[in-house]
Amino acid sequence: MASFKPAKQLHPPEKGSDFAFPFLPYDIQLDFMKTLYTVIHSGGIGIFESPTGTGKSLSLTCGTLTWLKDYVRLMEAELQEKIARLRVEIARLEKENESSSDWISGQYSAMGQRKELDELNHFKQSIEEYQKHLLRMKDRAALHKIRLGKIRPKDDMLREEPLQQDVTIDEDEFLLPEDSDGSDEEPEADREKDEERYRPVQVIFCSRTHSQLSQVVSEVKETEHSKDLRLMSLASRQSLCINADVRKLKSSTLINERCLELLNKGGKSKASAGDEGDDGRSVKKRRKLTQSCPYYNQRAIEGLKNGILFEVPDIEDLVKAGKREHACPYYASRAAIPDAQVLMVPYQLILHRRTRQQSGIRLQDAILIIDEAHNLLDTISAIHSQEVRLEQLRLANVHLSAYKARYFSRFSTKNLLRINQLIFIATRLGKVLSPEGSSTNRSRMLETQELLLEGDIFNLNLSDILSFCERSRIAQKVHGFAQSVAPELLEQNAQSIRSKVGTTSKGSTSELKSLLKNLEEDYKNKSQKKKAGRPASKQAVEPAPVSNQENNQQLQSKPSVTNAIRPLINFLECLVEDASGGSGDSRVMISFDEKDPSQASMKYLLLNPGGKFEDVVESCRSVVLAGGTMQPTEELTEQVFRNCRERVTIKSYPHVVPKDAVLPIALGRGPTGKEFLFNYNNKHNVEMLDELQSTLLNISQVVPHGVVVFFSSYDFLDLFTRKLEESGNRARLEERKKVFREPKTPGQVEKTLSEYGRAARSATGAILFSVVGGKLSEGLNFSDQLGRCVVVVGLPYPNRTSPELCERMRYLDRSLAGATSGASSAGNEYYENLCMKAVNQCIGRAVRHIRDYAAVILLDTRYCTGERIRRKLPVWISERMECAERYGQAHGKLVKFFRDHKAKHVEETQ
């Protein structure tokens, strides 16, 4: 369908009220919204740095939604004008043709005008039909609410109903459908119908966590934009599932698989039992007692979608509404995607192409906003990396071979071929990692094509194999088979294989043959028992029902069987993605473990994350990256936007707090004059550790309430705390501040933060030892008394000997040769940027709102002497930072800073 874009330029409003900003905006907020408005309308790319506490998210949403409303009004007005103008022009041409001798040329001109008019009328009609569709949705939502109000579900209906478990094992449940290897192309009629439909401009708002997205949604609700706004929050099944039996599973992978299993069961027809053949197999499917998911009801899902779409819901709202209406929030949110004006999504739903396509999200002509985008490239790399271990490959071989043996005579030829190909791939990749199959047991890097050649799988069509895996859901079926059919035999065999990983492949082959023989005997025994217990009549006998409690006990008593196929499929997906993106942009890292050969692994590494994001940029109308600490921005312009630099606008805003609210100090020496140089060579320098202890003792005496200290690694933190105990300074420090340290287990983080918060707000205060890049360095809020001082010890450079890091640096040196300024290579620039982005995140934990204040102390002489390092700090820090040559200077500034703010606080309270 032909589209229409207005020719007139839109100009941003001049006042904050015109943006529907809920408060009187600061100057930087108004400038942010106006610049954002211009960037979006011009189809540009915006990189915005605005510190936490400056209303960044609210500025993003108000600026974008104001443009969206203005654009729709402008488009409809210009469309009407152009249609009217064409009608006048056609009438004029027709009148001229009546008296013209060259009527052929006149008709040709009129024909072109009529064609354009027909296309515009068709476009206008599609808009009107879409608007009628929205009105019908609103009407259905209103009726749905009335119906819910009249027929309120009973309390017991709102409780999660446990699923009725299988009473008997249905062999056919795990059998692949005949058409598993068929075409998955969308029917031509459906594709044409989809193309004919009007699709409004959609805003896609991404952030790192669901809590951050929920915070943005709550801010939107407080604005005038929330009226008649169609917004939908998307999340994984793990976040949205309301089925108690599914939700209690440990991992998102298990939750996804269980959900799909239940949907598949719901779609099956339940047939009565039939005769058995000579081999004990049922000719017809036995009647099953297993229910599908009680929340997967299309009518209820449609009602939930219509009702919640206009209510600006966050994840919590969706879950509550789903429980109230007994409908699945996950599928309701997916169904709302085409009709939503704004989608709130986590990173991975957008940044991973396959996941995005499976979710039904279209980027064409969309406005993409990525908040907290400081680690965009690293996030893309992590999303597209996948590791598979030798143990997993051999388990996949075992499970697939056992599955094939059980159903061999019932597979179609195509399905059997695909299963054999998967077994072959698992075997060949396992040989690359096995001690006897590898030419060398040293870790190495391979290009993707080299791995395919070494594994002898270069001639297989991996795309077709993965399409088969997706359509047949073979990972779920083989996993279900492994769990239900003699799991103790599978587990026993898996343990035997693990014990023989370091010996020979013949041992594994003999174990596999033994397993298949045991499975066959087990199956025959079960078949004979069923025959012996079957009545003479051929009528099906319905088994006695089993209580949920008994079923749960039975399930818990079964040994757990891991899904061994999923890691293999995920790894193959990376190889296929690599083939579609071009060669040379990735590597496969082969690693060996001398102590445990079963832990040998191959890991797919994406070296060019910018290439993946270029596809996103080309599809979207406009892309906006925002964050509190976006420095250094050169990384983005060089790796992602180097082919479209003319579209890029970079804005870095100061903090909204007064200049005297932040005291950044670069400190190169301690109280005794010892220089601070926390590099690898000085890691165990006793004198420097002593100097660090003295410095923190002095800081704790001056700074009120909470002090957060970030160390470069857990090893360095362990070393420092050990020295602190041995020197007796821990007791001295406890006299001034209560001491806490970041826990290594995630489950203890919330408890530690709660106890630290109570202590920091007390008169004594507290000091928290944390790690750069750890659990407390990003996404947490140390505002007010929780973080009156942030100390960063050293420069947290990553381990330069890491094979993965070395390969990335070499790739950047090759691909971006000459792109960086100065003597530094692109690889060294990347290495330095990793360090500085981590430092900037630590700095951003303090000063979270306009009335907040804090000191930021950077302990290392390189902060004073390195101009490149200072340039990569946030603007609001680098502009105010002072370098103290002696500790006494820094100490005096700290005393004055907190004395002045204490006096100011006293004045404000009087």
Side-chain angles (χ1 to χ4, degrees):
M1 183 182 66
S3 61
F4 175 79
K5 291 186 178 180
K8 293 180 181 178
Q9 287 296 317
L10 278 173
H11 299 286
E14 293 297 326
K15 296 185 295 184
S17 58
D18 296 328
F19 283 101
F21 202 78
F23 315 105
L24 182 65
Y26 306 128
D27 290 341
I28 65 169
Q29 292 171 334
L30 186 58
D31 185 76
F32 189 132
M33 291 186 287
K34 291 168 69 173
T35 307
L36 174 66
Y37 189 104
T38 304
V39 166
I40 292 175
H41 190 67
S42 63
I45 297 165
I47 302 176
F48 294 89
E49 181 182 60
S50 186
T52 303
T54 57
K56 167 174 54 70
S57 300
L58 196 56
S59 300
L60 280 169
T61 51
C62 287
T64 304
L65 294 177
T66 299
W67 173 86
L68 185 61
K69 290 179 179 178
D70 291 349
Y71 177 79
V72 171
R73 282 195 292 265
L74 178 65
M75 181 192 66
E76 292 176 352
E78 277 203 30
L79 182 62
Q80 293 281 14
E81 290 175 8
K82 190 159 187 178
I83 288 174
R85 192 164 56 248
L86 282 172
R87 285 173 178 167
V88 171
E89 182 68 16
I90 292 170
R92 184 186 63 80
L93 288 172
E94 288 177 346
K95 189 173 182 180
E96 288 178 356
N97 287 340
E98 292 176 0
S99 58
S100 174
S101 58
D102 188 9
W103 63 271
I104 295 178
S105 298
Q107 285 293 334
Y108 182 78
S109 298
M111 189 185 304
Q113 301 280 11
R114 288 193 194 95
K115 182 180 179 182
E116 185 178 2
L117 179 61
D118 288 342
E119 290 176 350
L120 293 179
N121 277 324
H122 183 60
F123 183 70
K124 180 185 176 185
Q125 184 181 357
S126 67
I127 293 176
E128 292 171 349
E129 289 175 356
Y130 183 74
Q131 289 171 343
K132 291 177 182 177
H133 163 71
L134 294 178
L135 289 174
R136 287 193 297 270
M137 283 182 61
K138 283 187 177 182
D139 292 340
R140 286 196 293 267
L143 289 172
H144 185 67
K145 288 181 180 179
I146 293 172
R147 192 179 300 115
L148 285 174
K150 289 182 178 179
I151 312 173
R152 289 190 177 276
K154 296 179 181 178
D155 291 340
D156 57 350
M157 290 177 63
L158 291 178
R159 299 191 197 104
E160 290 91 347
E161 297 178 1
L163 288 176
Q164 187 179 355
Q165 302 292 341
D166 288 345
V167 175
T168 60
I169 297 174
D170 185 356
E171 298 289 333
D172 291 355
E173 178 181 352
F174 310 116
L175 187 62
L176 298 179
E178 293 292 327
D179 59 347
S180 293
D181 203 33
S183 174
D184 59 350
E185 290 185 5
E186 185 182 2
E188 185 69 26
D190 291 345
R191 193 159 55 244
E192 289 179 358
K193 184 177 179 181
D194 188 59
E195 290 175 356
E196 287 294 312
R197 181 184 176 187
Y198 169 71
R199 286 187 171 273
V201 176
Q202 197 169 55
V203 176
I204 303 173
F205 194 104
C206 304
S207 194
R208 190 170 56 89
T209 65
H210 292 305
S211 61
Q212 290 169 339
L213 290 171
S214 295
Q215 178 64 32
V216 175
V217 172
S218 66
E219 291 177 353
V220 173
K221 287 180 180 179
E222 299 300 320
T223 71
E224 290 293 318
H225 293 295
S226 61
K227 296 178 181 178
D228 290 330
L229 178 65
R230 304 187 303 279
L231 180 147
M232 183 52 62
S233 297
L234 303 182
S236 64
R237 289 181 176 89
Q238 190 171 24
S239 299
L240 289 176
C241 181
I242 57 175
N243 187 318
D245 283 337
V246 177
R247 197 174 64 245
K248 69 184 179 185
L249 297 175
K250 295 181 180 179
S251 71
S252 59
T253 301
L254 292 175
I255 290 174
N256 289 338
E257 291 175 358
R258 184 57 178 155
C259 175
L260 293 173
E261 286 172 11
L262 294 175
L263 263 60
N264 188 49
K265 290 172 183 175
K268 286 183 177 180
S269 59
K270 297 177 181 179
S272 60
D275 296 336
E276 286 188 343
D278 294 337
D279 61 352
R281 289 179 177 148
S282 296
V283 176
K284 295 181 180 180
K285 294 180 182 180
R286 290 188 298 277
R287 185 177 185 272
K288 290 180 64 60
L289 296 181
T290 305
Q291 293 179 343
S292 63
C293 179
Y295 301 100
Y296 189 74
N297 179 290
Q298 289 292 350
R299 184 175 178 180
I301 289 173
E302 182 70 14
L304 176 59
K305 179 204 80 171
N306 293 336
I308 202 75
L309 181 59
F310 296 93
E311 295 181 0
V312 192
D314 59 14
I315 302 301
E316 187 177 345
D317 296 330
L318 270 171
V319 171
K320 287 180 179 178
K323 290 180 178 179
R324 183 178 66 246
E325 301 183 24
H326 219 62
C328 176
Y330 176 81
Y331 283 101
S333 64
R334 290 302 189 273
I337 289 175
D339 294 314
Q341 292 172 293
V342 180
L343 294 177
M344 310 296 293
V345 301
Y347 283 162
Q348 59 270 24
L349 278 183
I350 293 297
L351 300 180
H352 192 269
R353 182 181 63 85
R354 192 178 184 88
T355 304
R356 184 173 67 244
Q357 292 174 345
Q358 290 174 343
S359 300
I361 298 173
R362 292 180 52 156
L363 294 180
Q364 196 66 36
D365 205 35
I367 310 298
L368 177 62
I369 300 173
I370 301 182
D371 198 8
E372 303 298 333
H374 53 275
N375 279 335
L376 175 65
L377 294 176
D378 296 329
T379 301
I380 296 173
S381 295
I383 288 174
H384 289 85
S385 295
Q386 181 64 40
E387 185 176 27
V388 61
R389 300 192 309 276
L390 174 59
E391 179 184 26
Q392 293 171 323
L393 291 171
R394 290 191 164 168
L395 279 177
N397 196 339
V398 169
H399 291 184
L400 282 166
S401 299
Y403 178 73
K404 171 187 167 184
R406 172 58 58 86
Y407 296 107
F408 181 84
S409 63
R410 305 180 68 184
F411 287 134
S412 67
T413 306
K414 288 185 177 181
N415 288 347
L416 186 59
L417 170 65
R418 296 304 185 197
I419 292 172
N420 282 334
Q421 288 175 328
L422 284 171
I423 293 173
F424 178 76
I425 291 170
T427 303
R428 297 300 303 179
L429 293 181
K431 188 174 180 181
V432 173
L433 291 177
S434 61
E436 68 277 8
S438 176
S439 58
T440 174
N441 287 345
R442 291 183 301 175
S443 297
R444 53 201 171 105
M445 287 285 179
L446 297 176
E447 291 193 8
T448 304
Q449 194 61 32
E450 291 175 334
L451 175 67
L452 298 178
L453 288 170
E454 186 173 332
D456 197 24
I457 58 174
F458 63 93
N459 57 344
L460 296 178
N461 191 324
L462 298 182
S463 295
D464 288 350
I465 294 172
L466 288 175
S467 296
F468 159 77
C469 293
E470 184 177 344
R471 282 192 299 271
S472 66
R473 295 176 47 248
I474 191 169
Q476 292 92 326
K477 290 181 180 294
V478 173
H479 185 219
F481 164 78
Q483 285 181 311
S484 62
V485 180
E488 64 281 352
L489 293 177
L490 286 172
E491 181 62 23
Q492 180 183 357
N493 185 78
Q495 291 175 357
S496 181
I497 283 182
R498 282 195 287 270
S499 67
K500 296 178 182 291
V501 163
T503 56
T504 63
S505 59
K506 293 181 180 179
S508 298
T509 304
S510 63
E511 292 296 333
L512 181 56
K513 290 180 179 177
S514 174
L515 166 70
L516 299 180
K517 182 178 179 182
N518 290 337
L519 284 174
E520 189 62 29
E521 291 177 357
D522 178 72
Y523 179 75
K524 287 180 179 178
N525 292 335
K526 287 181 179 179
S527 299
Q528 290 172 1
K529 288 180 182 178
K530 290 174 184 176
K531 280 186 176 181
R534 184 176 293 278
S537 170
K538 293 184 179 181
Q539 297 294 324
V541 178
E542 185 172 316
V546 181
S547 69
N548 290 322
Q549 184 177 1
E550 291 173 352
N551 270 313
N552 289 335
Q553 291 173 353
Q554 291 173 8
L555 288 173
Q556 291 172 2
S557 65
K558 288 185 178 181
S560 175
V561 179
T562 59
N563 189 331
I565 315 299
R566 177 54 59 190
L568 172 61
I569 292 176
N570 290 343
F571 184 78
L572 295 180
E573 285 177 353
C574 288
L575 299 184
V576 171
E577 284 282 329
D578 179 76
S580 65
S583 60
D585 288 349
S586 65
R587 294 290 184 274
V588 177
M589 183 172 67
I590 309 294
S591 303
F592 295 93
D593 190 328
E594 295 180 0
K595 296 181 180 179
D596 185 0
S598 68
Q599 296 305 308
S601 66
M602 54 179 65
K603 183 178 182 181
Y604 176 88
L605 304 175
L606 178 64
L607 302 179
N608 182 23
K612 296 291 183 184
F613 197 67
E614 280 180 0
D615 297 337
V616 174
V617 174
E618 290 175 4
S619 299
C620 293
R621 176 192 182 96
S622 179
V623 175
V624 176
L625 308 181
T629 51
M630 292 296 293
Q631 296 294 335
T633 57
E634 293 84 3
E635 183 178 70
L636 292 170
T637 55
E638 294 298 338
Q639 295 190 43
V640 184
F641 305 127
R642 55 179 166 170
N643 296 325
C644 52
R645 295 177 191 270
E646 69 284 352
R647 295 177 59 192
V648 178
T649 299
I650 301 175
K651 295 286 285 188
S652 185
Y653 292 101
H655 214 300
V656 293
V657 297
K659 287 192 175 182
D660 62 355
V662 185
L663 178 64
I665 299 176
L667 184 57
R669 296 181 183 275
T672 67
K674 176 70 178 177
E675 184 181 57
F676 285 137
L677 183 60
F678 294 99
N679 56 18
Y680 184 78
N681 293 332
N682 288 332
K683 182 178 179 181
H684 296 280
N685 188 310
V686 177
E687 292 181 0
M688 193 175 299
L689 288 171
D690 290 341
E691 195 80 348
L692 177 59
Q693 294 177 54
S694 300
T695 302
L696 294 180
L697 280 167
N698 285 326
I699 290 173
S700 298
Q701 190 171 8
V702 176
V703 178
H705 300 292
V707 178
V708 184
V709 184
F710 289 101
F711 291 82
S712 57
S713 67
Y714 284 105
D715 289 341
F716 187 30
L717 175 56
D718 290 340
L719 175 64
F720 173 78
T721 52
R722 190 167 61 250
K723 293 291 183 182
L724 195 66
E725 293 281 358
E726 293 172 357
S727 65
N729 283 329
R730 169 66 184 259
R732 294 178 59 197
L733 188 60
E734 287 277 7
E735 293 175 359
R736 305 175 187 186
K737 303 276 186 191
K738 187 168 183 181
V739 179
F740 296 86
R741 65 164 291 170
E742 178 179 319
K744 291 185 177 181
T745 56
Q748 296 295 315
V749 171
E750 189 173 341
K751 179 183 176 183
T752 301
L753 286 175
S754 178
E755 293 176 352
Y756 167 75
R758 284 196 297 270
R761 293 186 183 96
S762 67
T764 304
I767 186 168
L768 174 62
F769 296 139
S770 186
V771 175
V772 177
K775 305 171 188 67
L776 308 181
S777 65
E778 188 172 340
L780 290 178
N781 183 348
F782 290 105
S783 63
D784 299 317
Q785 296 172 336
L786 298 183
R788 287 300 181 213
C789 182
V790 170
V791 181
V792 182
V793 180
L795 283 160
Y797 285 105
N799 180 9
R800 194 157 190 163
T801 62
S802 162
E804 185 174 337
L805 178 59
C806 289
E807 194 63 32
R808 290 187 190 280
M809 292 174 65
R810 282 195 291 267
Y811 172 81
L812 290 171
D813 286 339
R814 290 193 305 270
S815 60
L816 298 178
T820 56
S821 59
S824 178
S825 67
N828 285 330
E829 193 77 15
Y830 170 73
Y831 179 67
E832 191 173 89
N833 290 345
L834 285 176
C835 168
M836 295 311 300
K837 284 190 290 185
V839 170
N840 292 343
Q841 281 303 298
C842 296
I843 293 172
R845 296 313 93 212
V847 193
R848 308 288 289 187
H849 58 85
I850 193 170
R851 294 185 177 277
D852 203 358
Y853 62 93
V856 176
I857 303 176
L858 306 177
L859 292 182
D860 200 292
T861 187
R862 289 170 290 181
Y863 287 113
C864 297
T865 59
E867 180 60 31
R868 287 168 49 79
I869 290 174
R870 296 185 63 178
R871 195 175 69 246
K872 293 180 179 181
L873 291 168
V875 175
W876 60 279
I877 290 291
S878 61
E879 288 181 346
R880 311 177 193 191
M881 192 167 76
E882 300 180 26
C883 291
E885 296 179 1
R886 300 186 305 276
Y887 175 78
Q889 294 175 333
H891 192 86
K893 291 180 183 296
L894 285 172
V895 171
K896 183 178 185 304
F897 178 78
F898 288 106
R899 185 178 60 216
D900 290 348
H901 277 281
K902 183 177 180 181
K904 185 177 179 181
H905 176 70
V906 171
E907 291 178 4
E908 290 176 351
T909 55
Q910 286 179 350

